[in-house]
Amino acid sequence: MSNLIVLPLIVPIITAILLVFLRENVMLQRIISLLTLSFVVLISVILLLEIQDQGVMRIDFSGWAPPFGILFVADSFAVLLVLIANIVAAICLLYAMFTIGKSYEKMYFYPFVLLLVAGVNGSFLTGDIFNLFVCFEVMLLASYALISLGGDKIQLREALKYVLINVVASWIFLVALAFLYGTVGTLNMAHISVRVMEAGADPLITTVALIFLIVFSLKAGLLLFFWLPGSYSAPPTAIAALFAALLTKVGIYALVRSFTLLFPNNTEVTHLVLGIMAGLTIIAGCMGALAGRDVRTIASYNVLIGVGFIVAGLAIGTESALQGVTYYLMHDMVAKAMLFLAVGMMIYVTGETVIDNMSGLIRNYPFFGWLFFIVMCSLAGIPPLSGFLGKILIGQGAIEGGNFVLLGLGFLSSLIVLYSLLRIFLSSFFGETIISLEDEKPLPKRIVLPLTLLVACTIGLGIGAEWLAPYVIDAAETLYTPSIYIDAVLDGTTWQGEVNK
């Protein structure tokens, strides 16, 4: 048991409350927010190292032993995601400090960002499915405020759509929780898994599993994504980058945890549905990326392609594919933040959003141009950048499992991603420049710095794959073998017999 596990949730929440009272002191808000996220990154690294030594860790709140109490569980999968999420959030916050303006900063921007990050961290670490709902709501309430911050007409329109769909999804989530509790009599994730395995291929449990699939698909943008392109295009660049990097990943995490731990039975039904939805999401995302002329729209549909690809790895379900899912989730957080920051910088220097109205940017901003080139290569999965290894591992899993349709769709999507971003690169960065020397808007180093740091992250994730491999392998093993997680949470031979039934 380690008290460190709860710090990624409570430290951002306490700091957010403190920052409410520092509304007028913007500089102090900036410093405290960055220090808070840096502290969570440090805690995540310590937890990751401890998990390698001790195995899966947990903390029981108020001393109530599972399955009766509330608990947080730290395994390699959850802590890797907490680590990358907080690194990306810190870099997006750095970009916001230089671009978003004091009017936004004085509207409680930093408290809302920290609450959003707290909800994300709590969702990754909770071992209780009702607490997952609570952490989802903390994250969503903060995102409701961030998407409408500033009060532009387009923001309010998209915020209304975003809020309505998430309220409906949350209501369905509560209904699913009620059915699940009524069926298995527990909300502890490990205990749910034991009870579901005891019940076997029960039609009611399969129905409940499919309801959870709908809920988490809405939140992840899996097939039911009609709310996503507009919602991610409306807010300022720093907020859009945060959303693209973190929000859909929490929905994907919930899908992964549900269909590797909570509902291990009847995989021929659940994984078939996951595979179909993943394939259709990839196809729809590719069509949107090819048809789009607005850089923000193209970026948003690239988010959907990533969602479909990751869930395809989950549907394949082999240990290699789950290693790929873990690695690609980390990559996708970094890569989508990079893409949205790069797109935002293009809009900043040109005042345009349509690629046909941009041209020759590399002559005015050569360093930025080549940063965009690296972003494009990373998203397309070109080695040695971070996107390569995740794609290869998911592909290997697809071959092992005989899922050749998903394999073909996945790697076709890589070509579409490359083409859609190459279209932006060639049209916007090459050709005759549209910006005269007199009209050239300076691109200060402090604005380019966050994108440079994310590019360093994607290179580091690719080149440092060997260093990360033990943690990714451990994460995939825990996902592939639920008994590891169950034994760590319920710790006792009392439950071993039930797990092995």
Side-chain angles (χ1 to χ4, degrees):
M1 184 181 293
S2 173
N3 291 327
L4 291 177
I5 300 172
V6 77
L7 293 182
L9 173 70
I10 64 170
V11 171
I13 289 177
I14 292 171
T15 308
I17 294 169
L18 172 66
L19 293 185
V20 170
F21 300 99
L22 300 174
R23 179 172 179 261
E24 297 300 323
N25 196 330
V26 170
M27 183 56 68
L28 193 56
Q29 287 193 67
R30 293 173 178 176
I31 294 169
I32 293 174
S33 300
L34 267 183
L35 287 175
T36 300
L37 293 176
S38 302
F39 175 75
V40 175
V41 168
L42 177 62
I43 292 299
S44 303
V45 172
I46 294 170
L47 281 172
L48 205 54
L49 295 173
E50 284 196 19
I51 290 165
Q52 289 298 298
D53 291 335
Q54 302 178 28
V56 178
M57 301 163 63
R58 76 169 202 262
I59 178 171
D60 305 326
F61 296 140
S62 301
W64 285 88
F68 305 108
I70 295 170
L71 76 164
F72 269 21
V73 182
D75 63 353
S76 293
F77 182 58
V79 176
L80 279 171
L81 297 185
V82 170
L83 173 62
I84 300 298
N86 284 270
I87 291 173
V88 170
I91 294 173
C92 289
L93 208 62
L94 193 63
Y95 183 84
M97 291 175 186
F98 302 137
T99 61
I100 204 162
K102 288 194 175 182
S103 60
Y104 279 86
E105 291 177 299
K106 288 185 178 182
M107 292 172 69
Y108 306 106
F109 170 74
Y110 295 108
F112 285 131
V113 169
L114 290 176
L115 287 172
L116 183 142
V117 172
V120 170
N121 294 341
S123 298
F124 290 152
L125 292 170
T126 185
D128 178 284
I129 196 164
F130 185 78
N131 262 1
L132 178 63
F133 169 78
V134 172
C135 292
F136 257 122
E137 293 309 301
V138 171
M139 176 189 76
L140 289 171
L141 287 170
S143 69
Y144 298 158
L146 288 171
I147 197 174
S148 55
L149 208 62
D152 290 347
K153 185 177 178 180
I154 186 173
Q155 283 183 270
L156 295 176
R157 186 188 71 214
E158 295 301 332
L160 182 62
K161 186 197 310 180
Y162 178 77
V163 170
L164 285 175
I165 192 63
N166 277 290
V167 167
V168 171
S170 296
W171 176 78
I172 299 172
F173 196 172
L174 276 178
V175 171
L177 282 174
F179 274 113
L180 182 64
Y181 186 74
T183 306
V184 299
T186 183
L187 293 172
N188 179 286
M189 290 185 182
H191 200 204
I192 290 169
S193 183
V194 171
R195 290 285 176 86
V196 167
M197 282 189 277
E198 284 178 332
D202 185 280
L204 180 57
I205 290 176
T206 303
T207 303
V208 172
L210 292 174
I211 296 173
F212 275 107
L213 174 57
I214 293 169
V215 171
F216 297 142
S217 296
L218 274 167
K219 295 181 182 294
L222 178 67
L223 191 58
L224 309 170
F225 59 77
F226 52 89
W227 56 269
L228 189 148
S231 300
Y232 284 18
S233 299
T237 298
I239 296 173
L242 262 178
F243 282 12
L246 302 184
L247 295 192
T248 54
K249 308 309 176 295
V250 178
I252 295 171
Y253 170 83
L255 284 170
V256 172
R257 197 61 92 183
S258 295
F259 295 100
T260 57
L261 177 66
L262 301 185
F263 305 109
N265 299 339
N266 247 2
T267 54
E268 64 274 8
V269 175
T270 56
H271 282 55
L272 175 63
V273 176
L274 280 169
I276 292 170
M277 293 179 75
L280 292 174
T281 303
I282 291 172
I283 292 169
C286 288
M287 292 172 64
L290 288 175
R293 308 303 299 172
D294 185 297
V295 287
R296 294 175 301 188
T297 301
I298 295 172
S300 297
Y301 279 103
N302 271 277
V303 171
L304 296 174
I305 295 172
V307 169
F309 190 79
I310 296 167
V311 177
L314 172 60
I316 291 163
T318 65
E319 193 165 354
S320 297
L322 291 173
Q323 288 177 20
V325 165
T326 305
Y327 201 86
Y328 203 84
L329 263 170
M330 295 190 291
H331 151 77
D332 209 52
M333 287 184 185
V334 174
K336 292 308 185 294
M338 282 194 303
L339 179 59
F340 274 77
L341 289 189
V343 163
M345 289 164 67
M346 291 171 65
I347 296 169
Y348 170 79
V349 297
T350 63
E352 299 285 349
T353 62
V354 179
I355 57 175
D356 296 333
N357 297 337
M358 304 179 193
S359 177
L361 292 180
I362 203 162
R363 299 186 187 183
N364 302 89
Y365 311 101
F367 182 65
F368 172 47
W370 293 114
L371 285 178
F372 187 91
F373 179 75
I374 296 173
V375 172
M376 176 183 71
C377 293
S378 178
L379 281 160
I382 295 173
L385 303 172
S386 59
F388 175 70
L389 186 58
K391 287 180 186 286
I392 290 298
L393 287 168
I394 290 175
Q396 179 185 333
I399 293 169
E400 291 169 357
N403 298 82
F404 297 108
V405 173
L406 288 177
L407 176 68
L409 284 174
F411 285 97
L412 177 63
S413 73
S414 298
L415 297 177
I416 300 298
V417 167
L418 179 60
Y419 175 76
S420 67
L421 298 180
L422 192 61
R423 191 159 53 109
I424 295 176
F425 187 61
L426 294 178
S427 176
S428 303
F429 285 91
F430 289 92
E432 186 177 349
T433 181
I434 61 167
I435 304 174
S436 64
L437 290 175
E438 311 86 67
D439 297 332
E440 183 176 325
K441 184 181 290 188
L443 195 58
K445 291 180 181 178
R446 65 179 185 275
I447 294 180
V448 181
L449 175 63
L451 182 59
T452 308
L453 291 174
L454 287 170
V455 166
C457 287
T458 193
I459 295 170
L461 281 173
I463 295 174
E466 187 175 354
W467 178 81
L468 277 172
Y471 307 102
V472 173
I473 290 169
D474 182 55
E477 186 182 1
T478 305
L479 294 174
Y480 190 70
T481 313
S483 59
I484 296 172
Y485 184 100
I486 294 168
D487 290 343
V489 172
L490 301 179
D491 71 359
T493 54
T494 310
W495 303 106
Q496 190 61 48
E498 297 178 60
V499 172
N500 292 330
K501 280 182 183 178

